[in-house]
Amino acid sequence: MTFWLIEVAYLVASALFVMSLYWMNDPKTARRGVGAGVAAMVVAVAGTLFNPGIVNWGWIAGAVAVGFLLGVPLSWVPLTAVPQRTAVSHAFGGLAAGLVGAAEFVLWQAHPESFTAFRTFALVAEVILGFLTFTGSLMAAGKLQEVRWIPQRPVTYPGQNATNIGLLGAAVLCGIALVWKPVELAFLFPVIVALALAFGVLLIIPIGGADMPTVISLLNSYAGLSAVAMGFVLENRLLIIAGALDGSSGLILSVIMCRAMNRSFTNVLFGAFGQVQQKAGPAETRTAKRETPEGAAQILGMASQVVIVPGYGMAVAQAQQRVRELYDELTKRGIDVRFAIHPVAGRMPGHMNVLLAEADIPYDKLIEMDDINPEMPQTDVVLVIGANDVVNPAARHDKASPIYGMPIIDADKARMCLAIKRSMNPGFAGIENELYFADHTYMLFGDAKVVVGDLVKQLSGGSGL
Ligand code: NAP
């Protein structure tokens, strides 16, 4: 009876996990997807608690309490910190898998018949992937959080790739030895753990803070694969299914992000992107034109087609509500306002969609890059709010630019461009943006929330527009 109860719970949980991913594909059903994911987890945990093999409820209650104590504050982080928060979750996932693997290894020593070649192989894979995900994810979170003692820039040294591959190779060789003689060579187990922990750190240090979101998604995939291996070790089908979903979705997301940045996986992992760029010659002295909120409000008020391009700066400023008010003011005047969404605007996939949805901007006004670009030449005003790399025309023509080949939103093709940012500082890729020096571009310097608020004030009657 209990067996069937657990099997049914696992079947329901697996179906809910699949549906959760499916629903999360679309902003309209994303909330349902999150609900299904939570329900799947609850059913999975509840089903597991029916396991007759449970020997100590006290430990389980303690672990649940610790999970709550850590998990609840993690849910309070601001949206801009979600990538690093996600990395911390993966670190816990990796640590859990690694520790379960270590516990099983110790328990099996008393029952050497448990060490079948396949299960020992799965256990080694679980431990290597789990522990490297643990330290790798912590390093990634630290880089994104700009922790002082973790350098943001890629740290490179000669022979780095060979060292890293050597370290991983050594862990794999120790693992093969363990599969061969798991009891006699048990002393190799802590060596594998140490090598995997070190590999996690060394894998991440040559990667710039800028590439961390892609790497976090890849680490998500490793955590999923270690859960698959754990499923084989514990002979638990649900873990195999959920881990495979996690592993494949993380990988697919990384591939989507790489494509949207026109980068390859090897370039992200080994390209040390984000190193200080050496200037070829003396910098040109170009000046950007400024505009005041009054002038900008007048320009916007006279337009019939406005496209807003949000970027990371809108997220930093938490300006989405003000942007909604601006949208309301402009649409009230019969102006057609749409939002151009670049797939990697911000710091995580869907970042802009989430923020704009939070401000209740209608989904049908959010237009994907490929659909909005052909309409740019007919657009009267494009308003760039805290975006930089995703509107940099250098990506189209400057072969020497680190973002060359990345698809961009063609803001430069609109009749006029207004750009809100605090300074002329570069964005994520660390490069100057020629759009801001173009003849038809006017800069509105200041925090996005303040400047958009000023525009709203001007349009809502303050200036009599
Ligand atoms: P960006 O290139 O990083 O530029 C953001 C701009 O916002 C900065 O130039 C900054 O200029 C401005 N800013 C910051 N705080 C602001 C504030 N409070 N008010 C007004 N402006 C502010 O951002 P993006 O154009 O969105 O491009 C995203 C970049 O991230 C791309 O290079 C992409 O490849 C990369 N990336 C994205 C993802 C993803 O999944 N979304 C993943 C990996 C990498 P000031 O300092 O002058 O204000």
Side-chain angles (χ1 to χ4, degrees):
M1 179 62 193
T2 329
F3 171 78
W4 284 110
L5 214 63
I6 297 176
E7 289 297 300
V8 170
Y10 283 179
L11 188 67
V12 172
S14 304
L16 281 169
F17 278 133
V18 174
M19 290 314 291
S20 163
L21 282 178
Y22 174 71
W23 281 323
M24 275 196 264
N25 258 328
D26 191 314
K28 291 193 198 80
T29 50
R31 273 175 208 271
R32 199 189 308 159
V34 174
V38 172
M41 206 45 130
V42 171
V43 173
V45 172
T48 306
L49 292 180
F50 279 102
N51 199 314
I54 289 176
V55 282
N56 191 325
W57 285 95
W59 278 103
I60 293 178
V64 171
V66 173
F68 266 94
L69 282 178
L70 291 172
V72 172
L74 269 181
S75 71
W76 297 334
V77 302
L79 202 60
T80 41
V82 165
Q84 48 269 51
R85 194 215 66 89
T86 310
V88 172
S89 302
H90 296 162
F92 287 141
L95 180 65
L99 289 179
V100 168
E104 288 295 311
F105 185 80
V106 172
L107 288 174
W108 289 0
Q109 291 294 319
H111 308 278
E113 69 284 0
S114 305
F115 284 111
T116 64
F118 179 72
R119 286 181 84 196
T120 314
F121 168 79
L123 190 141
V124 168
E126 172 191 347
V127 167
I128 293 180
L129 285 165
F131 283 117
L132 83 84
T133 304
F134 173 56
T135 47
S137 300
L138 285 183
M139 286 293 291
K143 281 202 177 205
L144 277 178
Q145 190 59 34
E146 299 182 5
V147 172
R148 216 166 356 115
W149 48 271
I150 301 181
Q152 305 300 298
R153 295 277 164 207
V155 176
T156 53
Y157 51 86
Q160 191 165 30
N161 289 342
T163 311
N164 289 358
I165 291 168
L167 212 66
L168 186 64
V172 171
L173 281 181
C174 291
I176 294 172
L178 265 192
V179 174
W180 178 46
K181 281 187 179 228
V183 179
E184 295 84 340
L185 300 178
F187 64 92
L188 286 178
F189 189 79
V191 177
I192 295 178
V193 173
L195 288 172
L197 288 170
F199 181 74
V201 175
L202 296 177
L203 178 76
I204 300 303
I205 55 169
I207 306 174
D211 275 332
M212 278 311 127
T214 320
V215 171
I216 286 171
S217 180
L218 198 62
L219 288 166
N220 176 19
S221 173
Y222 294 167
L225 291 179
S226 92
V228 171
M230 179 159 59
F232 284 116
V233 170
L234 300 178
E235 291 173 342
N236 182 314
R237 274 186 286 277
L238 179 64
L239 269 175
I240 297 172
I241 296 171
L245 288 172
D246 194 15
S248 50
S249 58
L251 192 67
I252 292 170
L253 191 58
S254 312
V255 170
I256 292 174
M257 287 156 91
C258 283
R259 278 209 192 125
M261 295 188 288
N262 194 35
R263 312 259 312 279
S264 64
F265 252 142
T266 31
N267 185 270
V268 168
L269 288 177
F270 309 113
F273 188 79
Q275 253 163 354
V276 181
Q277 305 279 319
Q278 296 296 321
K279 283 229 155 70
E284 276 181 60
T285 43
R286 292 191 284 180
T287 45
K289 292 187 284 299
R290 280 170 177 258
E291 188 47 278
T292 58
E294 295 81 3
Q298 270 180 7
I299 294 169
L300 285 168
M302 285 185 307
S304 15
Q305 302 270 353
V306 171
V307 169
I308 297 179
V309 186
Y312 179 60
M314 183 184 82
V316 175
Q318 285 291 293
Q320 60 274 23
Q321 285 301 338
R322 292 287 113 74
V323 173
R324 164 77 212 216
E325 291 163 24
L326 179 65
Y327 167 83
D328 287 342
E329 278 305 326
L330 294 173
T331 43
K332 237 196 272 170
R333 294 160 181 253
I335 301 169
D336 177 47
V337 183
R338 282 169 312 156
F339 292 81
I341 306 297
H342 191 286
V344 291
R347 289 294 181 271
M348 56 185 172
H351 204 166
M352 298 300 115
N353 304 62
V354 172
L355 290 173
L356 297 173
E358 193 185 300
D360 282 330
I361 290 178
Y363 293 132
D364 61 341
K365 297 293 172 191
L366 273 48
I367 316 292
E368 301 284 330
M369 173 177 67
D370 293 338
D371 297 325
I372 199 89
N373 271 346
E375 298 184 31
M376 279 300 179
Q378 292 89 52
T379 303
D380 298 316
V381 183
V382 63
L383 176 64
V384 178
I385 305 181
N388 199 337
D389 296 342
V390 299
V391 288
N392 190 342
R396 284 201 305 259
H397 63 81
D398 182 359
K399 291 201 173 133
S401 169
I403 60 165
Y404 177 68
M406 169 171 142
I408 56 152
I409 292 179
D410 296 334
D412 56 322
K413 295 191 177 162
R415 294 189 183 115
M416 182 173 281
C417 174
L418 295 171
I420 303 174
K421 66 200 292 292
R422 297 164 305 182
S423 63
M424 290 306 281
N425 285 344
F428 179 83
I431 44 166
E432 199 169 69
N433 190 342
E434 61 188 56
L435 172 71
Y436 301 142
F437 300 101
D439 283 346
H440 67 318
T441 300
Y442 295 87
M443 305 299 298
L444 288 152
F445 288 116
D447 176 78
K449 192 172 181 175
V450 175
V451 175
V452 178
D454 287 344
L455 289 175
V456 174
K457 256 188 240 148
Q458 293 292 326
L459 285 161
S460 63
S463 69
L465 279 170

